[in-house]
Amino acid sequence: MTRRRLLLVTAAAFLVDALVLVWLPLAGVRARVLPTLVFLVGAEQGPNRGAGCGLLAGGLCFLAGASPWQMALLTLLGAAAGGFFHRAAAFWGKWLTCLLPLAALEGLLALGHWVAGQALLGALSLAGREFLLAAACFPLAFLLLHLRKPKSRAARRAAKGLPPRCRRRRKWAR
């Protein structure tokens, strides 16, 4: 994945977060795609790309009004995902390995709410609902990360090892 594509995918996930999912709250909680996308980039591309994606996603969230802690936590999530869960299995394996870091992220956010003065039970309830919605947003993040334009016919033939087709029409002798 090139840097430009990583930038576009992260920006697209941020736009989905900020413009679409903000209007669809479930149980008083807004779903977020960015933490799941940061984890996926870290798990598939390594800790450097995961930390870069987390820093970019956190920076976009900070510009949109989130706290600076979210930028730091997303950067750490991407780096940790690349370090501990690098090259996880297919879709379901990545989803299962995504649950532990997302739970840790929500636990840290609940701890921050509790330190700020909110009741512990309320903070844990909020963290649990956010965790469930983040886990449910995994297919959307996976789709954003793996969405590619279809290959041309010539590229498909080259991938199969077939020679290129002749573009010139042959005239049949009668």
Side-chain angles (χ1 to χ4, degrees):
M1 177 181 289
T2 63
R3 288 182 190 160
R4 178 188 290 171
R5 188 161 190 297
L6 183 63
L7 175 72
L8 290 175
V9 165
T10 307
F14 173 72
L15 289 175
V16 167
D17 255 1
L19 299 177
V20 177
L21 294 177
V22 73
W23 297 103
L24 303 170
L26 294 173
V29 177
R30 185 174 64 94
R32 297 181 306 158
V33 178
L34 282 174
T36 312
L37 180 82
V38 168
F39 173 82
L40 274 174
V41 169
E44 291 184 0
Q45 304 292 323
N48 293 337
R49 291 281 171 107
C53 181
L55 185 63
L56 176 65
L60 288 172
C61 288
F62 178 69
L63 290 176
S67 71
W69 288 105
Q70 189 169 3
M71 183 167 41
L73 288 176
L74 285 175
T75 304
L76 288 174
L77 175 70
F84 297 120
F85 304 106
H86 190 59
R87 300 285 181 207
F91 177 81
W92 292 108
K94 288 177 184 164
W95 184 73
L96 287 174
T97 57
C98 177
L99 295 178
L100 178 66
L102 284 178
L105 179 70
E106 295 301 334
L108 284 174
L109 291 175
L111 180 67
H113 285 291
W114 181 61
V115 168
Q118 190 177 3
L120 182 62
L121 187 59
L124 289 176
S125 171
L126 177 69
R129 288 180 288 171
E130 285 183 351
F131 168 71
L132 290 175
L133 279 179
C137 284
F138 183 83
L140 179 60
F142 192 83
L143 179 72
L144 281 172
L145 191 61
H146 293 284
L147 191 64
R148 294 188 179 121
K149 72 177 189 178
K151 291 183 179 179
S152 66
R153 183 176 293 167
R156 286 193 307 259
R157 285 185 63 83
K160 291 180 183 177
L162 299 174
R165 293 187 72 150
C166 182
R167 298 242 181 235
R168 185 175 46 142
R169 288 192 161 206
R170 296 183 185 185
K171 295 183 181 178
W172 294 94
R174 289 187 187 214

